[in-house]
Amino acid sequence: MNAHTNSSPLILITVPVFVANPANLEQSSAPESWYLALLGFAEHFRTSSPPKIRLCVHCLQAVFQFKPPQRVEARTHLQLGSVLYHHTKNSELARSHLEKAVRESLGKLDDGTRDALVENLVDSAKPLLRKAIQISQQTPYWHCRLLFQLAQLHTLEKDLVSACDLLGVGAEYARVVGSEYTRALFLLSKGMLLLMERKLGEVHPLLTLCGTIVENWQGNPIQKESLRVFFLVLQVTHYLDAGQVKSVKPCLKQLQQCIQTISTLHDDEILPSNPADLFHWLPKEHMCVLVYLVTVMHSMQAGYLEKAQKYTDKALMQLEKLKMLDSSPILSTFQVILLEHIIMCRLVTGHKATALQEISQVCQLCQQSPRLFTNHAAQLHTLLGLYCISVNCMDNAEAQFTAALRLTTHQELWAFIVTNLASVYIREGNRHQELYSLLERINPDHNFPVSSHCLRAAAFYIRGLLSFFQGRYNEAKRFLRETLKMSNAEDLNRLTACSLVLLGHIFYVLGNHRESNNMVVPAMQLASKIPDMSVQLWSSALLKDLNKALGNTIDAHEAAQMHQNFSQQLLQDHIAACSLPEHNLISWTDGPPPGQFQAQNGPTTSLASLL
């Protein structure tokens, strides 16, 4: 039995990039066919798996042979600099191209190119942006845009305090110039950063203020609904971070209704009379994916895994369509977060081979973007640790969780990893010193390190599991009843099922067969509904022994048949997973993810824990 918790701290909401209203941008002339051809080849090579960066660079360099207009030349220098910066170690050449792009008429570049330059030349950009902010106070649109841009740069550098300060300045400026819409955007962005900083005491009053502003603002219907989506996404994320799966349901329902409303609205926009209102948060197609994503998060924590899989499939299909037309980095971020959640789903439902292939897919996405890998390396090692538990590779699981702990500063993810690492030490049975050291750091009775209801309930379960293995059954029952009380309060179905079956096992060992049956039967029903293959296997084994002890021969035979079926399914999946070349990922604990995998000759792990 592994101890995956229902909590899903594998998500860090990304601060959105605010862009100018397209209706306000100058339309560029149609590019030459040779330019489109070279650009298409370059993008094909860049997005190949693995990326063919040398060929991509050759295509971009070929643009200069045609003596293009200054605008095209500047943009090509930007593209070359960006590719070299993100995919090679030649930082000097990358900087040279980026600086040429700046020199060749920054003032004549379109907004998207200018924003990309700012992002690539972070160190040079910040003083320039600060100066521009000082002299732009009489032009509301540019003053707000520059504040958003500088806040974005501070966020990329993990300087969330400075970013929050700038967003606060922007909110006050927007209020002074009479733009309640943009004031709400600044405040909601600040609320997002406060959630990332875990400053939950400041989040609640800020969200209350934002709710009032959003409801009172009368303006463009799409802008109003997009504000509501932003506000509700933050509310839902706030609840889920706290592990309050039941309490979040009304907000989640509002969010789903809101995105349905947006999908019926036309994009025909009337330009706002206030220039400070010329912003939008995300395209509505991106918002749809984001709503699918938070629905998946909720379904995962609640243990509705079939629902989580359904919404993940919808979101990934939508992302594939969007990525054909849009290279926005946030789409890759959404894709990775969705895959992280569906991988946990697969491990619980007994589809380890599919989960492993999806872990490999995340590795490939991270290979294409160093920033994506930096932001998700800890989650990737955590997923590999969970996979290792599922195939009984405990030494590898420990190594993966240790690597993840080294890479994360996120408190909820840290607590999630420690909880699962503790389950590894409990199963190994000979790591007492390390285990007690970990348990002291996640003591649910005293100074629990995070505010998550779900993670605290999981910590009680881990203590109950340890007490069970040590034969301290009364103590185990106390911890597990606490888990049940907390999981029932917030509909944490997986934790409920795990606690019930473990309590049933304890009562069986104590000879109280009737009470054991009262625990195991509902555990089996709940596990079938989730569905959780490990709990079904465990429950069917107990039901077989219980019914035999109670003299129910027919029921005992049915339970034995169920147990045999579950064992066979898990055994086949185990063999399939361990035979994949991607299984070698369990040995990767440092540096970037490997690009190639050697084929396995066959399973290398013990199957005893499955049978």
Side-chain angles (χ1 to χ4, degrees):
M1 172 63 195
N2 60 37
H4 309 164
T5 71
N6 288 338
S7 177
S8 304
L10 298 180
I11 175 164
L12 297 174
I13 293 292
T14 307
V15 172
V17 178
F18 288 79
V19 298
N21 189 310
N24 197 46
L25 301 182
E26 182 182 352
Q27 297 297 312
S28 58
S29 58
E32 298 284 349
S33 57
W34 57 263
Y35 176 63
L36 289 177
L38 287 170
L39 204 60
F41 278 123
E43 183 64 7
H44 167 73
F45 291 132
R46 187 186 71 82
T47 57
S48 296
S49 183
K52 299 173 181 176
I53 298 305
R54 184 174 60 84
L55 294 174
C56 172
V57 169
H58 283 331
C59 289
L60 292 173
Q61 287 173 332
V63 171
F64 300 126
Q65 303 301 316
F66 289 86
K67 306 294 183 187
Q70 191 176 32
R71 175 179 54 81
V72 172
E73 190 169 341
R75 189 184 290 123
T76 304
H77 279 301
L78 165 64
Q79 290 160 337
L80 272 166
S82 184
V83 167
L84 291 165
Y85 176 75
H86 288 295
H87 295 280
T88 76
K89 296 180 181 179
N90 199 337
S91 57
E92 284 305 311
L93 185 57
R95 188 172 188 86
S96 171
H97 278 291
L98 292 169
E99 287 174 347
K100 283 178 184 176
V102 173
R103 285 199 300 272
E104 291 175 9
S105 70
L106 180 61
K108 296 178 183 176
L109 295 179
D110 58 82
D111 288 322
T113 307
R114 186 184 296 109
D115 290 345
L117 270 170
V118 166
E119 187 174 320
N120 279 285
L121 286 169
V122 173
D123 293 335
S124 308
K126 284 194 291 187
L128 288 172
L129 283 170
R130 289 192 192 99
K131 181 159 184 159
I133 287 167
Q134 287 175 358
I135 63 177
S136 64
Q137 294 195 32
Q138 301 308 310
T139 52
Y141 167 75
W142 280 109
H143 190 67
C144 291
R145 185 185 179 97
L146 292 164
L147 284 167
F148 277 132
Q149 191 77 66
L150 187 54
Q152 178 81 353
L153 288 188
H154 282 301
T155 303
L156 290 171
E157 294 185 323
K158 304 283 193 288
D159 183 3
L160 302 188
V161 174
S162 297
C164 279
D165 289 344
L166 282 164
L167 293 169
V169 169
E172 179 57 21
Y173 176 83
R175 186 191 67 79
V176 169
V177 299
S179 174
E180 287 296 283
Y181 169 77
T182 301
R183 181 189 178 202
L185 285 179
F186 275 115
L187 290 173
L188 287 166
S189 299
K190 183 177 179 179
M192 184 178 291
L193 296 188
L194 290 172
L195 275 174
M196 291 168 69
E197 284 191 282
R198 326 314 306 157
K199 293 185 176 178
L200 303 183
E202 297 179 44
V203 170
H204 182 70
L206 188 69
L207 288 181
T208 302
L209 172 61
C210 288
T212 303
I213 295 172
V214 170
E215 290 307 314
N216 292 338
W217 186 73
Q218 301 299 319
N220 182 297
I222 286 184
Q223 285 182 309
K224 183 175 177 71
E225 290 303 309
S226 72
L227 279 183
R228 291 191 72 226
V229 170
F230 196 172
F231 169 69
L232 289 166
V233 163
L234 291 191
Q235 275 207 316
V236 170
T237 305
H238 185 27
Y239 276 116
L240 293 180
D241 273 356
Q244 296 174 343
V245 176
K246 188 175 183 179
S247 307
V248 77
K249 286 182 179 178
C251 283
L252 186 60
K253 188 174 181 180
Q254 284 183 59
L255 179 58
Q256 291 163 342
Q257 290 170 343
C258 192
I259 204 67
Q260 287 177 351
T261 301
I262 282 186
S263 65
T264 64
L265 296 174
H266 296 294
D267 286 330
D268 302 331
E269 292 192 43
I270 301 170
L271 279 178
S273 56
N274 189 334
D277 286 346
L278 285 168
F279 297 92
H280 65 86
W281 176 42
L282 286 174
K284 65 182 181 181
E285 296 82 7
H286 293 200
M287 284 189 268
C288 286
V289 174
L290 185 56
V291 173
Y292 284 143
L293 176 53
V294 295
T295 304
V296 169
M297 292 167 60
H298 173 261
S299 301
M300 280 292 302
Q301 287 201 30
Y304 304 133
L305 301 194
E306 289 182 341
K307 182 179 178 182
Q309 290 184 39
K310 182 182 81 170
Y311 277 99
T312 300
D313 290 342
K314 283 185 177 182
L316 289 174
M317 284 174 58
Q318 178 87 343
L319 278 171
E320 286 303 315
K321 292 176 186 175
L322 289 173
K323 289 181 81 173
M324 291 177 187
L325 306 169
D326 185 348
S327 60
S328 172
I330 201 169
L331 296 180
S332 293
T333 300
F334 286 163
Q335 187 176 2
V336 166
I337 295 170
L338 281 161
L339 286 169
E340 287 169 351
H341 284 78
I342 198 62
I343 287 161
M344 289 191 287
C345 244
R346 309 272 195 224
L347 293 173
V348 172
T349 57
H351 299 94
K352 295 183 281 291
T354 305
L356 186 57
Q357 290 168 328
E358 287 166 338
I359 290 173
S360 175
Q361 191 179 343
V362 175
C363 288
Q364 291 168 18
L365 286 166
C366 288
Q367 283 176 336
Q368 296 170 19
S369 169
R371 182 178 296 148
L372 200 58
F373 175 64
T374 300
N375 291 337
H376 291 268
Q379 290 92 319
L380 200 42
H381 285 294
T382 302
L383 291 170
L384 282 167
L386 296 176
Y387 168 76
C388 291
I389 290 177
S390 75
V391 293
N392 205 30
C393 295
M394 293 302 155
D395 288 344
N396 295 100
E398 180 184 358
Q400 291 295 338
F401 289 139
T402 302
L405 288 172
R406 188 177 70 245
L407 292 167
T408 190
T409 56
H410 187 257
Q411 287 181 309
E412 275 73 17
L413 179 55
W414 177 89
F416 180 81
I417 297 164
V418 167
T419 302
N420 282 283
L421 182 56
S423 78
V424 171
Y425 290 151
I426 289 171
R427 289 179 63 164
E428 288 185 316
N430 58 356
R431 305 295 296 278
H432 304 298
Q433 186 174 347
E434 295 97 328
L435 175 60
Y436 288 121
S437 174
L438 283 184
L439 292 178
E440 276 303 305
R441 300 167 79 184
I442 52 165
N443 185 345
D445 284 321
H446 182 66
N447 292 333
F448 193 65
V450 294
S451 59
S452 171
H453 179 95
C454 188
L455 285 171
R456 185 163 173 259
F460 275 118
Y461 175 80
I462 285 294
R463 295 211 164 226
L465 187 67
L466 175 62
S467 298
F468 167 73
F469 276 111
Q470 293 176 334
R472 301 201 307 269
Y473 298 126
N474 286 333
E475 184 179 271
K477 285 190 282 185
R478 181 184 82 78
F479 286 128
L480 292 171
R481 283 171 177 150
E482 195 63 38
T483 306
L484 275 177
K485 183 172 77 174
M486 294 185 71
S487 57
N488 285 333
E490 286 293 343
D491 290 348
L492 305 174
N493 291 325
R494 267 211 85 220
L495 272 178
T496 299
C498 290
S499 302
L500 284 171
V501 73
L502 184 50
L503 275 169
H505 203 140
I506 290 168
F507 283 120
Y508 177 78
V509 170
L510 294 173
N512 190 341
H513 296 159
R514 295 287 178 191
E515 192 63 28
S516 176
N517 196 64
N518 290 340
M519 299 289 149
V520 178
V521 169
M524 185 63 164
Q525 291 169 343
L526 198 51
S528 302
K529 181 181 172 185
I530 290 171
D532 185 322
M533 189 64 79
S534 296
V535 174
Q536 286 177 293
L537 183 73
W538 190 357
S539 299
S540 59
L542 275 172
L543 284 172
K544 177 186 67 174
D545 295 339
L546 273 170
N547 283 302
K548 194 180 292 183
L550 292 169
N552 302 329
T553 308
I554 295 174
D555 290 341
H557 178 73
E558 284 182 5
Q561 189 59 53
M562 275 195 300
H563 183 70
Q564 177 67 17
N565 292 341
F566 293 136
S567 297
Q568 285 301 313
Q569 289 177 50
L570 283 169
L571 182 60
Q572 290 168 10
D573 185 50
H574 183 106
I575 293 169
C578 294
S579 300
L580 289 170
E582 291 87 352
H583 182 73
N584 283 307
L585 276 169
I586 68 174
S587 301
W588 163 63
T589 56
D590 194 30
Q596 301 294 326
F597 311 101
Q598 297 296 317
Q600 289 281 319
N601 294 322
T604 57
T605 59
S606 168
L607 305 181
S609 66
L610 300 176
L611 305 176

